[in-house]
Amino acid sequence: METTKTHANPGPLGLLGFGMTTILLNLHNAEIMPLSIVIVAMGIALGGLAQIIAGILEFKNGNTFGGTAFTAYGCFWWSLVIIWILPASNPADSFSMGAYLLLWAVFTGGMFTGALKHNTITKLVFGTLTVLFLLLAIGDFTENHTITLIAGYEGILCGATAVYSAIGQIINNEHGKEIIKL
């Protein structure tokens, strides 16, 4: 007797890791809460580790788009945490952070282009993320705090779209039909 292996969809895990961590960080950028160990820990665990695991599983399932997105953004969170916690000898300056964020904006713009063949919510996730990285880069390059503040509110929206997608996929999968429009 032959059994068929089935693989669960790792997408919701990666989206929750991305979305929840993005919301927390942007609550800080919007000056609603301070940058604290809460954000750092979420960046390491859910933003970093959970997304990297989801990315590896997406690659294993043959999904280059999901594998690249989750693995890269998981590494983004780890690199950002390293920038925050290891600045003693050589802290990041505004120009360096602007360049870092601009590179992520370019990458994300490419991912947004790939997302154009996906559902509406995926387009929104990558579209709002591209805008977020651009705003954060401009905020750092110009040292204009108002732009970073605006980015914070836009980032909360970006994270919320990812959480919505994750929860929608879970609910739709559990019920075997589309209950949540994606």
Side-chain angles (χ1 to χ4, degrees):
M1 182 161 115
E2 203 173 301
T3 59
T4 306
K5 288 185 180 180
T6 59
H7 299 282
N9 177 9
L13 172 63
L15 286 162
L16 284 172
F18 168 76
M20 291 172 62
T21 310
T22 298
I23 290 170
L24 271 183
L25 175 58
N26 285 288
L27 287 170
H28 162 69
N29 288 336
E31 296 185 345
I32 296 169
M33 66 184 274
L35 180 62
S36 71
I37 191 63
V38 170
I39 298 169
V40 172
M42 186 75 102
I44 293 168
L46 203 58
L49 182 60
Q51 279 196 93
I52 290 169
I53 290 169
I56 291 167
L57 292 173
E58 288 284 14
F59 279 129
K60 187 174 179 187
N61 289 344
N63 182 352
T64 302
F65 182 88
T68 301
F70 291 135
T71 306
Y73 294 117
C75 290
F76 161 79
W77 285 109
W78 279 357
S79 69
L80 186 61
V81 167
I82 290 167
I83 290 167
W84 289 338
I85 64 175
L86 297 178
S89 63
N90 195 13
D93 58 89
S94 295
F95 182 82
S96 297
M97 283 304 298
Y100 169 81
L101 294 164
L102 183 60
L103 285 172
W104 281 104
V106 170
F107 168 68
T108 304
M111 294 301 288
F112 172 69
T113 302
L116 292 175
K117 69 172 266 188
H118 292 256
N119 62 33
T120 300
I121 196 68
T122 302
K123 292 173 197 168
L124 283 172
V125 169
F126 284 95
T128 57
L129 183 56
T130 301
V131 172
L132 174 60
F133 277 129
L134 283 172
L135 286 171
L136 290 171
I138 293 166
D140 277 332
F141 281 136
T142 63
E143 296 184 353
N144 184 324
H145 180 71
T146 302
I147 295 172
T148 302
L149 186 68
I150 292 166
Y153 286 98
E154 198 276 346
I156 294 166
L157 173 66
C158 174
T161 62
V163 171
Y164 174 88
S165 180
I167 292 170
Q169 288 181 48
I170 292 166
I171 290 170
N172 291 349
N173 181 70
E174 290 303 307
H175 290 272
K177 62 182 178 180
E178 185 179 70
I179 293 173
I180 305 293
K181 179 73 175 154
L182 301 172

